[in-house]
Amino acid sequence: MDGAFQACRRNPAATFGIAVLIQAVIAVLTVIFGQSLLAPISDIGLESELTDEQALSLGTTALTGGTALTIVSAIGILLMQGLLVIPVARAILNLKTGFGQTWRLAKGSMLRLAGLGLLMFAAAALGVVAFIFVLVLVIEFLGPLGIFLTVVGVLGVVAVFAWLSVKLALAPAALVAEPRGVFASIARSWALTRGNWWRTFGILLLTSVIVSIIVSVISTPITMLITLFASFGSAEAGADDLTAVLPVLVLTTAVSAFFGAIGYAFQAAVTSLLYIDLRMRREGFDVTLMKDQEIAAASGPDFVPGRNLPPAGSGQWPQGPYTGTA
């Protein structure tokens, strides 16, 4: 955690700047989605009964917009995790990384990161749909016993989700740092966490809990004050004027996005260091880093540890896919 903090502090534009930018995009989409729901409800009125067509339209908008927002958020988090491995890896060799430089070094991995996000979201969505379908059948045919099996099934799904989340946590870092394809990065993360699941799970869980508490302690009072002051200004607007809620939605979303971005940046830095640490433990990546440190100054300002190989035929590295060992 100290290493992640130091990497973020030494490269604030590349770490916090990227996180804020990605979260700002998600926040804007969230506000647009919220407005798309508030506007028709405001036109209808809270005291009016919804017709079947209106209810179907609102439900379709909520489902479509919510799904799209979830996909964008998942891709945004994976982009953040993949992008931040570059400044963190360079910080190990005492190299500073700028905001634009990070994007430039990772531009070849952007589509693959988006593909990884879509693949993970699709797999999770199919898993949830299949689980719900099975639950409905179990409850329908087994009755009270089905309810007990449902509770056990939910606990089992949570355990499987936690296990898979840790096994796949390093895929974005491997995809950008080495670099690799979508399925190759998944296999790489799976291999790196083999025999280190509990240690990786503990570090990621502890980091998530600490960041969540700190972000909540800071952002919650601010959002409460914004809501409190806004409620006095919108009291005269009337109970049915839901558009008066939009400025509150914008401000609270902006505050949550800003502090959430800082937390996500720190978590992504921790994940990046976990990726590098596991490579050191499994394949002697520290030796590679020492070699990289010797050639970093002569390799130009865009040197990335473990990625920049000598020219083919130079005899300094064996030909073929790079495995992280000399």
Side-chain angles (χ1 to χ4, degrees):
M1 291 186 183
D2 180 65
F5 176 78
Q6 294 297 329
C8 292
R9 185 178 63 84
R10 289 176 60 84
N11 304 281
T15 53
F16 297 123
I18 288 175
V20 169
L21 176 62
I22 293 176
Q23 284 296 101
V25 173
I26 296 175
V28 170
L29 294 177
T30 302
V31 171
I32 294 175
F33 173 60
Q35 186 180 17
S36 67
L37 289 180
L38 289 175
I41 294 177
S42 179
D43 294 338
I44 296 171
L46 290 177
E47 297 180 356
S48 303
E49 292 186 2
L50 295 177
T51 64
D52 293 339
E53 294 182 357
Q54 291 172 334
L56 179 61
S57 176
L58 285 176
T60 302
T61 301
L63 181 60
T64 304
T67 302
L69 190 61
T70 302
I71 294 175
V72 172
S73 300
I75 293 176
I77 293 175
L78 286 179
L79 282 175
M80 200 182 307
Q81 292 178 347
L83 288 170
L84 294 194
V85 72
I86 292 178
V88 170
R90 284 170 53 86
I92 294 177
L93 301 185
N94 202 29
L95 300 173
K96 291 189 176 181
T97 310
F99 178 84
Q101 186 181 22
T102 302
W103 287 98
R104 184 172 67 254
L105 292 174
K107 64 181 179 180
S109 304
M110 304 297 289
L111 289 178
R112 285 181 282 120
L113 278 172
L116 178 64
L118 288 174
L119 178 63
M120 289 185 174
F121 177 83
L126 288 175
V128 170
V129 171
F131 179 69
I132 293 175
F133 179 74
V134 171
L135 286 186
V136 171
L137 291 180
V138 168
I139 295 176
E140 179 71 21
F141 288 103
L142 298 182
L145 179 59
I147 298 177
F148 172 76
L149 293 177
T150 298
V151 175
V152 176
V154 170
L155 294 177
V157 168
V158 171
V160 171
F161 177 79
W163 179 69
L164 288 176
S165 298
V166 174
K167 295 294 291 183
L168 303 178
L170 307 181
L175 187 148
V176 175
E178 299 194 26
R180 291 173 177 262
V182 173
F183 293 100
S185 64
I186 292 175
R188 180 69 161 149
S189 177
W190 201 280
L192 287 174
T193 53
R194 186 180 299 121
N196 288 279
W197 190 91
W198 283 107
R199 177 176 177 274
T200 305
F201 171 74
I203 293 174
L204 293 177
L205 178 62
L206 180 61
T207 303
S208 178
V209 170
I210 292 175
V211 169
S212 299
I213 292 175
I214 294 176
V215 170
S216 298
V217 168
I218 297 175
S219 64
T220 299
I222 297 177
T223 54
M224 289 179 64
L225 287 175
I226 292 174
T227 305
L228 180 63
F229 285 120
S231 63
F232 290 107
S234 60
E236 299 177 357
D240 289 340
D241 190 7
L242 294 180
T243 57
V245 180
L246 186 60
V248 182
L249 175 64
V250 172
L251 290 176
T252 54
T253 302
V255 170
S256 300
F258 177 76
F259 290 107
I262 295 176
Y264 279 132
F266 179 74
Q267 287 180 280
V270 170
T271 304
S272 299
L273 282 179
L274 264 175
Y275 160 76
I276 295 171
D277 173 72
L278 289 176
R279 288 190 65 180
M280 290 180 179
R281 293 171 181 268
R282 298 188 68 89
E283 55 194 35
F285 189 55
D286 50 338
V287 178
T288 302
L289 290 175
M290 287 189 290
K291 292 180 179 293
D292 284 346
Q293 192 166 21
E294 297 174 359
I295 64 174
S299 299
D302 290 342
F303 181 80
V304 179
R307 176 194 284 187
N308 302 71
L309 301 181
S314 63
Q316 300 180 48
W317 295 95
Q319 299 304 308
Y322 179 60
T323 59
T325 56

